[in-house]
Amino acid sequence: MKTIYKMACVAFVLSTGVAQAQHAGHGDMPKGPMAPDWTAYPVLASGGGFSRAGAKFQAFNMHAMDAASYASFDGQTAEDLNTATQPLTVDENGAVAVKSGAKGGYYILRVTGHGPGGEEATATTLKYFSNPGPAPRDLLNIARPGFEIMPAVLPREHSHYRENETWAFKVRMDGKPMAGLAVVMETSNGTKTEYVTKADGSVDVTFPGDFKDIPKDQWRHGSPPASKFVVAVRDGGLLATYNDSYNLDAYGDKNLWAGIGFAMLGMIAAVPLVRRRKTDKKGA
Amino acid sequence: MTSFFTLSRIRMSVQIVMLVFTVYGGALVGHYLSDKVTGALPALSCAYDQQNAGYCVLIPLQHQLHHRVGESIVRAQQFSFDYVIPLAFTMLTFLAFFVVLNKAFCGWICPLGTVQELIYKVGRRLRLPVRRFTQATVGRIRPYKWATLILLVLVLPLMAGLGYTSYVTGDAYCQVCPSRVVTTLLTANGEQIAVNTADPTAFAFSAARSAIFGFILILAFGMRQPFCRVCPMLALHAVFRRIVPLRLAKKETGEKCGKCKACYQACPMDIHEVAFEFGSKAFHADCTMCGRCVEFCPDDGMLALKLGPIPLFTASASYMKARAKIDKPDGTLPKKKPATNPSPAE
């Protein structure tokens, strides 16, 4: 029992050292919307006030006129979509609030209006409220009216898009796939890449490895803050965007070889316990 | 039952199926959280495995203590039942599964248990020596599972939520769990064996995780179920084991019992009580309900796996005789008999 007590003391002392510094930012609400200086495409940025019951957003780089949220649902019919759709009000500054009513799952926020060039613009983003809710499969795949670019599949809950990963997006017009359109990806780290949609309207986008050297005092919970991205597609006078965030590379704050080294240390420590001894031979 | 369809072979078949299901089952049930069979499985099916079919209950337990209970108290400076409702639902879901199989989740379902058992079988094929703990050592090790449960699963996550310990300790047990490494490596993902270099606490925990994984991997060649002995899931199961109808049952008395100790030798957890105690005392907190003790018991009806009053598998001398031809109670393979020439008379 003494050993257990010592183990408990060591674990506690070890973990308290950096606790306060790490904990200081945890749970803080975003202070307010910040205008993006990294893209001219329409984006929907967090406008603060996030809780399990709802979140506020701010439309930038567009004259926002209408908005709607779509809660995740199970179903394939227009009626299912209607049930999941909630018309929202956009104020004169482009601010809009999504209400989850403490119901969980994913919510798509879509804001329509005019883009920077006067084109008909549709900006979309997605919010996950961490309460139980349906998978977003039907939410992503159902035919919605209008021109849109949407993720084909999302990172699983509590996971993220990450640097150097490739994810599929789909471009659709009234639910029909749009082939051969140029898709532009821009990130808040300054990278711009272009892709072209395939015959099924999909496009595989690789998140660039462009995380900059962010000072450690800006890191939270052992990771640098997420960076922003937008994927945008044009078709004539129509513009559709989807924006979200992505994180550091899977191994960006990890060392695989050190991990293998520690595993080998563990293996070496176990060898004396399993190797053959003289007494084994005598016993045999 | 023929000698081929032994309980051990049936169990291993179930274990292999469940290993595939818990590690790769996301391909079958779906990718998202709501697709999973459950988020409160009473086995170490790791959420860091992005392809799994269900999550281990210890994950929501730690996260809810961290984010819902601890942080909510800090924010509101008060305690409310709202904070513990998700925790209550997690435990109810856990119990809904647990009430079906009891501690058999350890012996039949847990992917880490299966991997350790498979490695032990390889050790027997390689004729490596078998290592067993003495009764005294087993007695010293047993409290560690309770310490792991209380400290790593309950106290440190709550302390993290209250702001007293590092954020990393919000899922302190997951930080060191070898199943996190084993199950992700089985999906060709090396991320969880890598050491986190972001801060000293994360480094210490991830280095410990990798070292524990390596230690268990080698130890399992010579020792049965080395990690299970300190696993917090074993302790959590132990709390509720008496309320479930499926259980290991032993007669209240028996004159012959306690002499051959075959059940004790067969027990992968080195539970001596199964040989020397009677009645409910034989169903120890460390039991994983693998059923090996019942298989190797030569005393008809002395031990049984029972569902309430219904015996599902009962000890019998004839079964044990046939069973012992496959392997010895400790899993050692029987020595091959030298080939003999048929006698001329035949």
Side-chain angles (χ1 to χ4, degrees), chain A residues 45-97:
Chain A
S46 174
F50 173 70
S51 73
R52 287 191 167 91
K56 290 176 183 171
F57 288 86
Q58 177 76 39
F60 287 109
N61 302 332
M62 68 185 297
H63 175 61
M65 296 166 74
D66 292 307
S69 72
Y70 305 86
S72 47
F73 60 94
D74 290 320
Q76 288 292 334
T77 66
E79 195 180 330
D80 295 323
L81 181 63
N82 280 340
T83 309
T85 305
Q86 185 182 8
L88 302 172
T89 308
V90 190
D91 74 12
E92 65 274 16
N93 298 316
V96 59

Side-chain angles (χ1 to χ4, degrees), chain B residues 1 28 37 42 69 84 93 148 170 172 191 197 203 231 241 246 249 257 262 265 271 273 278 290 327 334 341:
Chain B
M1 183 180 283
L28 200 66
V37 174
V69 180
V84 292
T93 311
T148 317
E191 203 182 325
T197 53
F203 177 85
C231 180
R241 75 186 188 282
L246 183 68
C257 186
Q265 288 165 7
I271 300 169
E273 286 87 345
F278 290 92
C290 66
D327 63 1
N341 293 324

Side-chain angles (χ1 to χ4, degrees), chain A residues 3 15-16 18-20 22-23 26 52 133 135 137 154 156-157 162 222 251 253-255 259 273 275-276 280, chain B residues 31-35 47 55 68 71 127 131 144 160 163-167 190-191 193 195 197-199 201:
Chain A
T3 317
S15 58
T16 48
V18 289
Q20 294 305 324
Q22 287 190 347
H23 206 79
H26 190 73
R52 287 191 167 91
R137 200 172 294 106
L154 294 168
R156 205 174 71 180
E157 292 85 344
R162 296 190 291 196
Y251 292 94
D253 54 356
K254 297 186 183 78
N255 189 318
L273 299 172
R275 72 185 175 87
R276 202 172 295 282
D280 293 324
Chain B
H31 165 76
Y32 298 104
L33 191 60
S34 54
D35 296 326
Y55 294 0
R68 298 261 171 153
E71 286 180 2
R127 307 273 172 187
R131 296 281 169 246
Y144 280 89
Y164 292 121
T165 58
S166 163
Y167 183 83
E191 203 182 325
I193 197 175
V195 166
T197 53
D199 74 62
T201 314

Side-chain angles (χ1 to χ4, degrees), chain A residues 1 3-4 7-9 11-12 14-20 22-23 26-29 52 106 128 130-137 140 152-159 162 167 216 219 221-223 250-260 262-277 279-280 284, chain B residues 29-36 46-52 55 66-68 71 74-75 126-131 143-144 147-148 151-152 156 159-169 189-201 203-205 207 210-223 335:
Chain A
M1 290 307 288
T3 317
I4 294 171
M7 193 173 85
C9 291
F12 186 79
L14 184 72
S15 58
T16 48
V18 289
Q20 294 305 324
Q22 287 190 347
H23 206 79
H26 190 73
D28 291 352
M29 295 298 140
R52 287 191 167 91
Y106 290 89
Y128 173 63
S130 55
N131 290 308
R137 200 172 294 106
L140 295 176
V153 65
L154 294 168
R156 205 174 71 180
E157 292 85 344
H158 307 301
S159 297
R162 296 190 291 196
W167 290 83
K216 283 282 173 94
W219 288 35
H221 309 325
S223 297
Y251 292 94
D253 54 356
K254 297 186 183 78
N255 189 318
L256 181 60
W257 289 109
I260 292 170
F262 277 104
M264 290 185 77
L265 277 178
M267 290 179 188
I268 291 164
V271 166
L273 299 172
V274 292
R275 72 185 175 87
R276 202 172 295 282
R277 298 168 191 163
T279 49
D280 293 324
Chain B
V29 301
H31 165 76
Y32 298 104
L33 191 60
S34 54
D35 296 326
K36 305 301 175 192
C46 184
Y48 285 91
D49 165 18
Q50 295 283 307
Q51 299 174 32
N52 72 0
Y55 294 0
H66 177 193
H67 294 297
R68 298 261 171 153
E71 286 180 2
V74 169
R75 276 192 209 137
L126 297 173
R127 307 273 172 187
L128 293 171
V130 173
R131 296 281 169 246
Y144 280 89
T148 317
L151 181 69
L152 298 183
L156 281 178
M159 295 294 235
L162 293 171
Y164 292 121
T165 58
S166 163
Y167 183 83
V168 177
T169 65
N189 176 0
E191 203 182 325
Q192 304 308 327
I193 197 175
V195 166
N196 194 319
T197 53
D199 74 62
T201 314
F203 177 85
F205 273 101
S210 297
I212 291 169
F213 160 74
F215 188 76
I216 296 298
L217 192 72
I218 296 300
L219 202 56
F221 279 99
M223 182 179 287
K335 286 179 183 171

Side-chain angles (χ1 to χ4, degrees), chain A residues 110-198:
Chain A
R110 180 195 267 194
V111 176
T112 53
H114 296 295
E119 62 273 72
E120 267 187 50
T122 303
T124 310
T125 192
L126 202 137
K127 191 76 187 169
Y128 173 63
F129 295 95
S130 55
N131 290 308
R137 200 172 294 106
D138 293 330
L139 178 71
L140 295 176
N141 292 330
I142 200 162
R144 257 178 299 270
F147 185 51
E148 67 176 10
I149 179 165
M150 291 292 294
V153 65
L154 294 168
R156 205 174 71 180
E157 292 85 344
H158 307 301
S159 297
H160 311 278
Y161 294 114
R162 296 190 291 196
E163 280 183 301
N164 304 313
E165 289 180 348
T166 299
W167 290 83
F169 289 79
K170 285 187 173 176
V171 178
R172 287 174 295 211
M173 171 73 86
D174 296 329
K176 291 176 186 169
M178 301 291 285
L181 296 181
V183 173
V184 177
M185 177 192 224
E186 289 185 353
T187 75
S188 58
N189 295 328
T191 305
K192 182 176 179 178
T193 43
E194 286 193 26
Y195 304 87
V196 176
T197 57
K198 293 182 271 193

Side-chain angles (χ1 to χ4, degrees), chain B residues 68-304:
Chain B
R68 298 261 171 153
V69 180
E71 286 180 2
S72 301
I73 291 172
V74 169
R75 276 192 209 137
Q77 293 295 308
Q78 63 180 16
F79 184 80
S80 160
F81 275 111
D82 292 350
Y83 306 155
V84 292
I85 285 173
L87 204 60
F89 271 101
T90 297
M91 288 311 296
L92 285 172
T93 311
F94 162 80
L95 285 171
F97 280 91
F98 187 73
V99 79
V100 179
L101 288 180
N102 202 339
K103 291 165 77 60
F105 272 103
C106 290
W108 295 65
I109 309 290
C110 180
L112 185 63
T114 303
V115 168
Q116 290 177 97
E117 211 164 323
L118 289 170
I119 294 171
Y120 184 77
K121 281 181 182 291
V122 173
R124 303 293 61 71
R125 291 280 167 192
L126 297 173
R127 307 273 172 187
L128 293 171
V130 173
R131 296 281 169 246
R132 297 197 69 184
F133 288 125
T134 61
Q135 284 188 26
T137 311
V138 169
R140 280 197 293 272
I141 291 172
R142 280 176 175 172
Y144 280 89
K145 64 179 179 295
W146 296 104
T148 317
L149 176 68
I150 293 165
L151 181 69
L152 298 183
V153 177
L154 304 177
V155 174
L156 281 178
L158 185 61
M159 295 294 235
L162 293 171
Y164 292 121
T165 58
S166 163
Y167 183 83
V168 177
T169 65
D171 56 354
Y173 173 67
C174 296
Q175 292 291 336
V176 295
C177 179
S179 190
R180 174 171 166 179
V181 180
V182 169
T183 53
T184 51
L185 282 180
L186 286 172
T187 63
N189 176 0
E191 203 182 325
Q192 304 308 327
I193 197 175
V195 166
N196 194 319
T197 53
D199 74 62
T201 314
F203 177 85
F205 273 101
S206 55
R209 178 173 70 239
S210 297
I212 291 169
F213 160 74
F215 188 76
I216 296 298
L217 192 72
I218 296 300
L219 202 56
F221 279 99
M223 182 179 287
R224 290 180 287 181
Q225 312 305 99
F227 184 75
C228 302
R229 296 156 196 269
V230 295
C231 180
M233 189 69 86
L234 191 74
L236 193 63
H237 286 188
V239 173
F240 301 102
R241 75 186 188 282
R242 302 280 183 208
I243 63 168
V244 179
L246 183 68
R247 65 185 66 190
L248 176 71
K250 190 177 178 184
K251 283 184 179 174
E252 293 295 336
T253 54
E255 286 179 8
K256 289 187 285 181
C257 186
K259 290 174 183 168
C260 74
K261 301 174 197 168
C263 54
Y264 168 46
Q265 288 165 7
C267 178
M269 300 294 284
D270 300 320
I271 300 169
H272 50 85
E273 286 87 345
V274 73
F276 303 116
E277 299 283 358
F278 290 92
S280 62
K281 286 183 181 173
F283 183 30
H284 191 265
D286 280 6
C287 178
T288 62
M289 290 185 69
C290 66
R292 281 184 70 86
C293 54
V294 187
E295 283 191 289
F296 283 93
C297 176
D299 197 351
D300 288 341
M302 176 54 69
L303 281 165

